Every structure is written in structure tokens, then in C-alpha cells.
Coordinates of all heavy atoms in Angstrom, one line a residue:
M15 N 0.9 -1.2 0.0 CA 0.0 0.0 0.0 C 0.9 1.2 0.0 O 1.8 1.4 0.8 CB -0.9 0.0 1.2 CG -1.9 1.1 1.3 SD -2.9 1.2 2.7 CE -3.8 -0.3 2.7
G16 N 0.7 2.1 -0.9 CA 1.5 3.3 -1.1 C 1.1 4.3 0.0 O 0.1 4.2 0.6
L17 N 1.9 5.3 0.1 CA 1.7 6.4 1.0 C 0.4 7.1 0.7 O -0.5 7.4 1.6 CB 2.8 7.4 1.0 CG 2.7 8.6 2.0 CD1 2.6 8.1 3.4 CD2 3.9 9.5 1.8
L18 N 0.2 7.5 -0.6 CA -1.0 8.2 -1.0 C -2.3 7.4 -0.8 O -3.3 7.9 -0.2 CB -0.9 8.6 -2.5 CG -2.1 9.4 -3.0 CD1 -2.2 10.7 -2.2 CD2 -1.9 9.7 -4.5
S19 N -2.3 6.1 -1.2 CA -3.5 5.3 -1.0 C -3.7 5.1 0.5 O -4.8 5.0 1.0 CB -3.3 4.0 -1.7 OG -2.3 3.2 -1.2
G20 N -2.6 5.0 1.3 CA -2.8 4.8 2.8 C -3.5 6.0 3.4 O -4.3 5.9 4.2
V21 N -3.1 7.2 2.9 CA -3.7 8.5 3.4 C -5.1 8.6 3.0 O -6.0 9.0 3.7 CB -2.9 9.7 3.0 CG1 -3.6 11.0 3.3 CG2 -1.5 9.7 3.7
L22 N -5.4 8.2 1.7 CA -6.8 8.3 1.2 C -7.7 7.3 1.8 O -8.9 7.6 2.0 CB -6.8 8.2 -0.3 CG -6.1 9.3 -1.1 CD1 -6.1 8.9 -2.6 CD2 -6.9 10.6 -0.9
L23 N -7.2 6.1 2.2 CA -8.0 5.1 2.8 C -8.1 5.2 4.3 O -8.7 4.3 4.9 CB -7.5 3.7 2.3 CG -7.7 3.5 0.8 CD1 -7.1 2.1 0.5 CD2 -9.1 3.5 0.4
L24 N -7.4 6.1 4.9 CA -7.3 6.2 6.4 C -8.7 6.4 7.0 O -9.0 5.7 8.0 CB -6.4 7.4 6.8 CG -6.2 7.5 8.3 CD1 -5.5 6.2 8.8 CD2 -5.3 8.7 8.6
P25 N -9.6 7.1 6.4 CA -11.0 7.2 7.0 C -11.7 5.9 7.0 O -12.7 5.7 7.8 CB -11.7 8.2 6.1 CG -10.6 9.0 5.4 CD -9.5 8.1 5.3
L26 N -11.3 4.9 6.2 CA -12.0 3.6 6.3 C -11.4 2.7 7.3 O -11.9 1.5 7.5 CB -11.9 3.0 4.9 CG -12.6 3.7 3.7 CD1 -12.3 2.9 2.4 CD2 -14.1 3.8 4.0
A27 N -10.4 3.1 8.0 CA -9.8 2.2 9.0 C -10.8 1.7 10.1 O -10.7 0.5 10.4 CB -8.6 2.9 9.7
P28 N -11.6 2.5 10.6 CA -12.6 2.0 11.6 C -13.5 0.9 11.0 O -13.9 0.0 11.6 CB -13.4 3.2 12.0 CG -12.5 4.4 11.7 CD -11.7 4.0 10.5
V29 N -13.9 1.1 9.7 CA -14.7 0.1 9.1 C -14.0 -1.2 8.9 O -14.5 -2.3 9.2 CB -15.2 0.6 7.7 CG1 -16.0 -0.4 6.9 CG2 -16.1 1.9 7.8
R30 N -12.7 -1.1 8.5 CA -11.9 -2.4 8.4 C -11.8 -3.0 9.8 O -11.8 -4.3 9.9 CB -10.6 -2.0 7.8 CG -10.7 -1.7 6.3 CD -9.3 -1.7 5.7 NE -8.4 -0.8 6.3 CZ -8.0 0.3 5.8 NH1 -8.4 0.7 4.6 NH2 -7.1 1.1 6.4
G31 N -11.7 -2.2 10.8 CA -11.6 -2.8 12.2 C -12.8 -3.5 12.6 O -12.8 -4.6 13.2
V32 N -14.0 -2.9 12.3 CA -15.3 -3.6 12.6 C -15.4 -4.9 11.8 O -15.9 -5.9 12.3 CB -16.4 -2.6 12.3 CG1 -17.8 -3.3 12.4 CG2 -16.4 -1.4 13.3
V33 N -15.0 -4.9 10.6 CA -15.1 -6.1 9.7 C -14.2 -7.2 10.3 O -14.6 -8.3 10.4 CB -14.8 -5.7 8.3 CG1 -14.6 -7.0 7.5 CG2 -15.8 -4.9 7.6
W34 N -13.0 -6.8 10.7 CA -12.1 -7.8 11.3 C -12.7 -8.4 12.6 O -12.6 -9.6 12.7 CB -10.7 -7.1 11.6 CG -9.7 -8.0 12.1 CD1 -8.9 -8.9 11.4 CD2 -9.4 -8.2 13.5 NE1 -8.1 -9.6 12.3 CE2 -8.4 -9.2 13.6 CE3 -9.9 -7.7 14.7 CZ2 -7.9 -9.6 14.8 CZ3 -9.4 -8.1 15.9 CH2 -8.4 -9.1 15.9
I35 N -13.2 -7.5 13.4 CA -13.8 -8.0 14.7 C -15.0 -8.9 14.4 O -15.2 -10.0 15.0 CB -14.2 -6.8 15.6 CG1 -13.0 -6.1 16.1 CG2 -15.1 -7.3 16.7 CD1 -13.3 -4.9 16.9
S36 N -15.8 -8.5 13.4 CA -17.0 -9.4 13.1 C -16.6 -10.7 12.6 O -17.2 -11.7 12.9 CB -18.0 -8.7 12.2 OG -17.4 -8.5 10.9
D37 N -15.5 -10.7 11.8 CA -15.0 -12.0 11.3 C -14.5 -12.9 12.4 O -14.7 -14.1 12.4 CB -13.8 -11.8 10.3 CG -14.3 -11.2 8.9 OD1 -15.5 -11.3 8.6 OD2 -13.5 -10.7 8.2
R38 N -13.8 -12.3 13.4 CA -13.4 -13.1 14.5 C -14.5 -13.6 15.3 O -14.5 -14.8 15.8 CB -12.5 -12.3 15.5 CG -11.2 -11.7 14.9 CD -10.2 -12.7 14.4 NE -10.3 -13.3 13.1 CZ -10.2 -12.7 11.9 NH1 -9.9 -11.5 11.8 NH2 -10.4 -13.4 10.8
L39 N -15.6 -12.8 15.5 CA -16.8 -13.3 16.2 C -17.5 -14.5 15.5 O -17.9 -15.4 16.1 CB -17.8 -12.2 16.4 CG -17.4 -11.1 17.4 CD1 -18.3 -9.9 17.4 CD2 -17.2 -11.7 18.8
V40 N -17.6 -14.4 14.2 CA -18.2 -15.5 13.4 C -17.3 -16.7 13.5 O -17.9 -17.8 13.7 CB -18.3 -15.0 11.9 CG1 -18.6 -16.2 11.0 CG2 -19.4 -14.0 11.8
D41 N -16.0 -16.6 13.5 CA -15.1 -17.8 13.6 C -15.3 -18.4 15.0 O -15.4 -19.6 15.1 CB -13.7 -17.4 13.4 CG -13.3 -16.9 12.0 OD1 -14.1 -17.3 11.1 OD2 -12.3 -16.3 11.8
A42 N -15.4 -17.6 16.0 CA -15.6 -18.1 17.4 C -17.0 -18.8 17.5 O -17.1 -19.9 18.1 CB -15.5 -17.0 18.4
A43 N -18.0 -18.2 17.0 CA -19.3 -18.8 17.0 C -19.4 -20.1 16.3 O -20.0 -21.1 16.8 CB -20.4 -17.8 16.5
E44 N -18.8 -20.2 15.1 CA -18.8 -21.4 14.4 C -18.0 -22.5 15.1 O -18.4 -23.7 15.1 CB -18.2 -21.2 13.0 CG -19.2 -20.5 12.1 CD -18.7 -20.2 10.7 OE1 -17.4 -20.4 10.5 OE2 -19.4 -19.8 9.8
A45 N -16.9 -22.1 15.7 CA -16.1 -23.1 16.4 C -16.9 -23.7 17.6 O -16.8 -24.9 17.9 CB -14.8 -22.5 17.0
E46 N -17.7 -22.9 18.3 CA -18.5 -23.4 19.4 C -19.6 -24.2 18.9 O -20.0 -25.2 19.4 CB -19.0 -22.2 20.2 CG -19.8 -22.6 21.4 CD -20.2 -21.5 22.3 OE1 -19.5 -20.4 22.3 OE2 -21.3 -21.6 22.9
L47 N -20.2 -23.8 17.7 CA -21.4 -24.5 17.2 C -21.0 -25.9 16.8 O -21.7 -26.9 17.0 CB -21.9 -23.8 16.0 CG -23.1 -24.5 15.2 CD1 -24.3 -24.6 16.1 CD2 -23.4 -23.7 13.9
Y48 N -19.8 -26.1 16.2 CA -19.4 -27.4 15.7 C -18.5 -28.1 16.6 O -18.0 -29.2 16.2 CB -18.7 -27.2 14.3 CG -19.6 -26.7 13.3 CD1 -19.4 -25.4 12.7 CD2 -20.7 -27.4 12.8 CE1 -20.3 -24.9 11.7 CE2 -21.5 -27.0 11.8 CZ -21.4 -25.7 11.3 OH -22.2 -25.2 10.4
D49 N -18.3 -27.7 17.8 CA -17.5 -28.4 18.8 C -18.2 -29.7 19.3 O -19.3 -29.6 19.8 CB -17.2 -27.5 20.0 CG -16.3 -28.1 21.1 OD1 -15.7 -29.2 20.8 OD2 -16.2 -27.6 22.2
P50 N -17.6 -30.8 19.0 CA -18.3 -32.1 19.4 C -18.6 -32.2 20.9 O -19.7 -32.8 21.2 CB -17.2 -33.2 19.0 CG -16.4 -32.5 18.0 CD -16.3 -31.1 18.3
A51 N -17.8 -31.7 21.7 CA -18.1 -31.7 23.2 C -19.4 -31.0 23.5 O -20.2 -31.4 24.3 CB -16.9 -31.2 24.0
V52 N -19.5 -29.8 22.9 CA -20.7 -29.0 23.2 C -22.0 -29.7 22.6 O -23.0 -29.7 23.3 CB -20.6 -27.6 22.5 CG1 -21.8 -26.8 22.6 CG2 -19.4 -26.8 23.2
I53 N -21.8 -30.3 21.5 CA -23.0 -31.0 20.8 C -23.4 -32.2 21.7 O -24.6 -32.4 21.9 CB -22.6 -31.4 19.4 CG1 -22.5 -30.1 18.5 CG2 -23.7 -32.3 18.8 CD1 -22.0 -30.4 17.2
R54 N -22.4 -32.9 22.2 CA -22.7 -34.1 23.1 C -23.4 -33.6 24.4 O -24.4 -34.3 24.8 CB -21.4 -34.8 23.4 CG -20.9 -35.6 22.2 CD -19.8 -36.5 22.6 NE -19.2 -37.1 21.4 CZ -18.1 -36.6 20.8 NH1 -17.4 -35.6 21.4 NH2 -17.6 -37.1 19.7
V55 N -23.0 -32.5 24.9 CA -23.7 -32.0 26.1 C -25.1 -31.6 25.8 O -26.1 -31.9 26.5 CB -22.9 -30.8 26.7 CG1 -23.8 -30.0 27.7 CG2 -21.6 -31.2 27.3
R56 N -25.3 -30.9 24.6 CA -26.7 -30.6 24.2 C -27.5 -31.8 23.9 O -28.7 -31.8 24.2 CB -26.6 -29.7 22.9 CG -26.0 -28.3 23.3 CD -25.6 -27.5 22.1 NE -26.8 -27.1 21.3 CZ -26.7 -26.5 20.1 NH1 -25.5 -26.2 19.6 NH2 -27.8 -26.2 19.4
L57 N -26.9 -32.9 23.4 CA -27.7 -34.1 23.2 C -28.1 -34.7 24.6 O -29.2 -35.2 24.7 CB -26.9 -35.1 22.4 CG -26.8 -34.9 20.9 CD1 -25.7 -35.8 20.3 CD2 -28.2 -35.2 20.3
A58 N -27.2 -34.7 25.5 CA -27.5 -35.2 26.9 C -28.6 -34.4 27.5 O -29.6 -34.9 28.1 CB -26.3 -35.2 27.8
E59 N -28.6 -33.0 27.3 CA -29.6 -32.2 27.9 C -31.0 -32.5 27.2 O -32.0 -32.5 27.8 CB -29.3 -30.7 27.7 CG -28.1 -30.3 28.6 CD -27.7 -28.9 28.2 OE1 -28.1 -28.3 27.2 OE2 -26.8 -28.3 29.0
L60 N -30.9 -32.7 25.9 CA -32.1 -33.1 25.1 C -32.7 -34.4 25.6 O -34.0 -34.5 25.8 CB -31.8 -33.2 23.7 CG -32.9 -33.2 22.7 CD1 -33.8 -32.0 22.7 CD2 -32.4 -33.4 21.3
N61 N -31.9 -35.4 25.9 CA -32.4 -36.7 26.4 C -33.0 -36.5 27.8 O -34.0 -37.1 28.1 CB -31.3 -37.7 26.5 CG -31.0 -38.3 25.2 OD1 -31.9 -38.7 24.4 ND2 -29.7 -38.4 24.8
R62 N -32.4 -35.6 28.6 CA -32.9 -35.4 30.0 C -34.3 -34.7 29.9 O -35.2 -35.0 30.6 CB -31.9 -34.5 30.8 CG -32.4 -34.3 32.2 CD -31.8 -33.1 32.9 NE -31.9 -31.8 32.0 CZ -32.9 -31.1 31.9 NH1 -34.1 -31.4 32.4 NH2 -32.9 -30.0 31.1
A63 N -34.4 -33.7 28.9 CA -35.7 -33.0 28.8 C -36.8 -34.0 28.3 O -37.9 -33.9 28.8 CB -35.5 -31.9 27.8
L64 N -36.4 -34.9 27.5 CA -37.4 -35.9 27.0 C -37.8 -36.8 28.2 O -39.0 -37.0 28.4 CB -36.9 -36.7 25.9 CG -37.8 -37.8 25.4 CD1 -39.0 -37.2 24.7 CD2 -37.1 -38.7 24.4
D65 N -36.8 -37.3 29.0 CA -37.1 -38.1 30.1 C -38.0 -37.4 31.2 O -38.8 -38.1 31.8 CB -35.8 -38.6 30.7 CG -35.1 -39.6 29.8 OD1 -35.7 -40.1 28.9 OD2 -33.9 -39.8 30.1
D66 N -37.7 -36.1 31.3 CA -38.5 -35.4 32.3 C -39.8 -34.9 31.8 O -40.6 -34.3 32.6 CB -37.7 -34.1 32.8 CG -36.4 -34.5 33.6 OD1 -36.3 -35.7 34.0 OD2 -35.6 -33.6 33.8
G67 N -40.1 -35.1 30.5 CA -41.4 -34.7 30.0 C -41.5 -33.3 29.6 O -42.6 -32.8 29.4
E68 N -40.4 -32.6 29.5 CA -40.4 -31.2 29.1 C -40.6 -31.0 27.7 O -41.1 -29.9 27.3 CB -39.0 -30.5 29.5 CG -38.8 -30.5 31.0 CD -37.4 -30.0 31.4 OE1 -36.7 -29.5 30.5 OE2 -37.0 -30.2 32.5
I69 N -40.3 -32.0 26.8 CA -40.5 -31.9 25.4 C -41.1 -33.2 24.9 O -41.0 -34.2 25.6 CB -39.2 -31.6 24.6 CG1 -38.2 -32.8 24.8 CG2 -38.6 -30.3 24.9 CD1 -36.9 -32.7 24.0
D70 N -41.8 -33.1 23.8 CA -42.5 -34.3 23.3 C -41.5 -35.1 22.3 O -40.4 -34.5 22.0 CB -43.8 -34.0 22.6 CG -43.6 -33.1 21.4 OD1 -42.5 -32.6 21.1 OD2 -44.6 -32.9 20.7
L71 N -41.9 -36.2 21.9 CA -41.0 -37.1 21.1 C -40.7 -36.5 19.7 O -39.6 -36.6 19.2 CB -41.7 -38.5 20.9 CG -40.8 -39.5 20.2 CD1 -39.5 -39.7 20.9 CD2 -41.6 -40.8 20.0
A72 N -41.7 -35.8 19.2 CA -41.5 -35.2 17.8 C -40.4 -34.1 17.9 O -39.5 -34.1 17.0 CB -42.8 -34.6 17.3
R73 N -40.5 -33.2 18.9 CA -39.5 -32.2 19.0 C -38.1 -32.8 19.4 O -37.1 -32.3 18.8 CB -39.9 -31.2 20.1 CG -38.8 -30.1 20.3 CD -39.3 -29.0 21.1 NE -38.2 -28.0 21.2 CZ -38.1 -27.1 22.1 NH1 -39.1 -26.9 22.9 NH2 -37.1 -26.2 22.1
F74 N -38.1 -33.8 20.2 CA -36.8 -34.5 20.5 C -36.2 -35.0 19.2 O -35.0 -34.8 19.0 CB -37.1 -35.7 21.5 CG -35.9 -36.5 21.7 CD1 -34.9 -36.2 22.5 CD2 -35.8 -37.7 21.0 CE1 -33.8 -37.0 22.7 CE2 -34.7 -38.6 21.2 CZ -33.7 -38.2 22.0
E75 N -37.0 -35.7 18.4 CA -36.4 -36.3 17.2 C -35.9 -35.2 16.2 O -34.9 -35.4 15.6 CB -37.5 -37.2 16.5 CG -37.7 -38.5 17.3 CD -38.8 -39.3 16.7 OE1 -39.6 -38.8 15.8 OE2 -39.0 -40.5 17.1
R76 N -36.6 -34.1 16.1 CA -36.2 -33.0 15.2 C -34.8 -32.4 15.7 O -33.9 -32.3 15.0 CB -37.2 -31.9 15.2 CG -38.4 -32.1 14.3 CD -39.1 -30.8 14.1 NE -39.4 -30.0 15.3 CZ -40.5 -30.1 16.1 NH1 -41.4 -31.0 15.7 NH2 -40.6 -29.4 17.1
E77 N -34.8 -32.1 17.0 CA -33.6 -31.5 17.6 C -32.4 -32.5 17.6 O -31.3 -32.1 17.3 CB -33.8 -31.1 19.0 CG -34.8 -29.9 19.1 CD -34.2 -28.6 18.4 OE1 -33.0 -28.4 18.6 OE2 -34.9 -28.0 17.7
E78 N -32.7 -33.8 17.8 CA -31.6 -34.8 17.8 C -31.1 -35.0 16.4 O -29.8 -35.0 16.2 CB -32.2 -36.2 18.3 CG -31.1 -37.2 18.4 CD -31.7 -38.6 18.7 OE1 -32.8 -38.9 18.2 OE2 -31.0 -39.3 19.5
E79 N -31.9 -35.0 15.4 CA -31.5 -35.1 14.0 C -30.6 -33.9 13.7 O -29.6 -34.0 13.0 CB -32.6 -35.2 13.1 CG -32.2 -35.4 11.6 CD -33.4 -35.5 10.7 OE1 -34.5 -35.8 11.2 OE2 -33.2 -35.4 9.5
R80 N -31.0 -32.7 14.1 CA -30.3 -31.5 13.8 C -28.9 -31.5 14.4 O -27.9 -31.2 13.8 CB -31.0 -30.2 14.2 CG -30.4 -28.9 13.8 CD -31.3 -27.7 14.3 NE -31.3 -27.6 15.7 CZ -30.4 -27.0 16.5 NH1 -29.3 -26.5 15.9 NH2 -30.5 -27.0 17.8
L81 N -28.8 -31.9 15.7 CA -27.6 -32.0 16.4 C -26.7 -33.1 15.8 O -25.4 -32.8 15.7 CB -27.8 -32.2 17.9 CG -28.4 -31.0 18.6 CD1 -28.8 -31.5 20.0 CD2 -27.5 -29.8 18.7
L82 N -27.2 -34.2 15.5 CA -26.4 -35.3 14.9 C -25.9 -34.9 13.5 O -24.8 -35.2 13.1 CB -27.2 -36.6 14.8 CG -27.5 -37.2 16.2 CD1 -28.4 -38.4 16.0 CD2 -26.2 -37.6 16.9
D83 N -26.7 -34.1 12.7 CA -26.2 -33.6 11.4 C -25.0 -32.7 11.6 O -24.1 -32.7 10.9 CB -27.4 -32.9 10.7 CG -28.4 -33.8 10.1 OD1 -28.1 -35.0 10.0 OD2 -29.4 -33.4 9.7
I84 N -25.1 -31.8 12.6 CA -24.0 -30.9 12.9 C -22.8 -31.7 13.3 O -21.7 -31.4 12.9 CB -24.4 -29.9 14.0 CG1 -25.5 -28.9 13.5 CG2 -23.2 -29.1 14.5 CD1 -26.1 -28.0 14.5
L85 N -23.0 -32.7 14.2 CA -21.9 -33.5 14.7 C -21.2 -34.3 13.5 O -20.0 -34.4 13.5 CB -22.4 -34.5 15.7 CG -21.4 -35.3 16.5 CD1 -20.5 -34.3 17.3 CD2 -22.0 -36.3 17.4
D86 N -22.0 -34.7 12.5 CA -21.5 -35.4 11.4 C -20.9 -34.4 10.3 O -20.5 -34.8 9.3 CB -22.5 -36.3 10.7 CG -22.9 -37.5 11.6 OD1 -22.1 -37.8 12.4 OD2 -24.0 -38.0 11.4
R87 N -21.0 -33.1 10.6 CA -20.5 -32.0 9.7 C -21.3 -32.0 8.4 O -20.8 -31.5 7.4 CB -19.1 -32.2 9.4 CG -18.2 -32.2 10.6 CD -17.9 -30.7 11.0 NE -17.0 -30.8 12.1 CZ -16.6 -29.7 12.7 NH1 -16.9 -28.5 12.2 NH2 -15.7 -29.8 13.7
K88 N -22.5 -32.5 8.5 CA -23.4 -32.3 7.4 C -23.9 -30.9 7.4 O -23.8 -30.1 8.4 CB -24.6 -33.3 7.4 CG -24.2 -34.7 7.3 CD -25.4 -35.6 7.3 CE -25.0 -37.0 7.3 NZ -26.1 -37.9 7.5
S89 N -24.6 -30.4 6.4 CA -25.2 -29.1 6.4 C -26.3 -29.1 7.4 O -27.3 -29.9 7.3 CB -25.6 -28.7 5.0 OG -26.8 -28.3 4.8
P90 N -26.2 -28.3 8.5 CA -27.2 -28.4 9.6 C -28.6 -27.9 9.1 O -28.7 -27.0 8.3 CB -26.7 -27.5 10.6 CG -25.7 -26.6 9.9 CD -25.2 -27.3 8.7
V91 N -29.6 -28.5 9.7 CA -31.0 -28.1 9.5 C -31.2 -26.9 10.5 O -31.0 -27.1 11.7 CB -32.0 -29.2 9.8 CG1 -33.4 -28.8 9.6 CG2 -31.7 -30.4 8.8
P92 N -31.6 -25.8 10.0 CA -31.8 -24.6 10.9 C -32.9 -25.0 12.0 O -33.9 -25.6 11.7 CB -32.3 -23.5 10.0 CG -32.0 -23.9 8.6 CD -31.9 -25.4 8.6
G93 N -32.6 -24.6 13.2 CA -33.6 -24.8 14.3 C -34.6 -23.6 14.3 O -34.5 -22.7 13.5
P94 N -35.5 -23.7 15.3 CA -36.4 -22.6 15.4 C -35.8 -21.3 15.7 O -34.9 -21.2 16.5 CB -37.3 -23.0 16.6 CG -36.8 -24.4 17.0 CD -35.6 -24.7 16.3
G95 N -36.2 -20.3 14.9 CA -35.6 -18.9 15.1 C -34.3 -18.7 14.4 O -33.7 -17.7 14.6
V96 N -33.8 -19.7 13.7 CA -32.5 -19.6 13.1 C -32.7 -19.4 11.6 O -33.4 -20.2 11.0 CB -31.6 -20.8 13.3 CG1 -30.3 -20.7 12.5 CG2 -31.3 -21.0 14.8
R97 N -32.1 -18.4 11.0 CA -32.3 -18.2 9.6 C -31.3 -19.0 8.8 O -30.1 -19.1 9.2 CB -32.1 -16.7 9.2 CG -33.2 -15.8 9.7 CD -33.0 -14.4 9.3 NE -33.1 -13.6 10.5 CZ -32.4 -12.5 10.7 NH1 -31.5 -12.1 9.9 NH2 -32.6 -11.9 11.8
P98 N -31.7 -19.6 7.7 CA -30.7 -20.4 6.9 C -29.7 -19.5 6.2 O -29.8 -18.4 6.0 CB -31.6 -21.0 5.8 CG -32.9 -20.4 5.9 CD -33.0 -19.6 7.1

């Protein structure tokens, strides 16, 4: 980057900073979403909720399939309130 282009693009530095931070946040969120340990904990919580009668079998099967798809690194099925 030359001196002139550096000076001309200086006002965009805050925007580049925000983009960099948002990229790091997305990376962290994806790492947590696809972490096998987190998914196994969520599966255990889902089984407990079914055993306690907090959710019905249909919801259990939907959520279990979604979590297992994520665990298998398939393209996840969006859950309720999640945009594709």
C-alpha cells in the first residue's frame, strides 16, 4: 500500500476494524457450534428433557437429528428462530 493510498483510505480504518472483529466473532461462534463436546452436552440435555417430559417425542427427534447432522458435519438443518 503506497503512502497516497494509505492516506486516502485512512478514513476507512474504523470500518476495516469492525469487519475484522465481526470475522473473529463469526469464527468463534462457528467453532463453538461445531465443537463435538458442546454438541454431546446438548444431546444429553435433550435426552434429559425428554425423560423429564419437558419436550415431546417429535421435538426430541427433530432436535436430535439437527444436532447429529451438525456432529457429522453435514449441512445443519436450521432450528427454530435460526435463519438459513
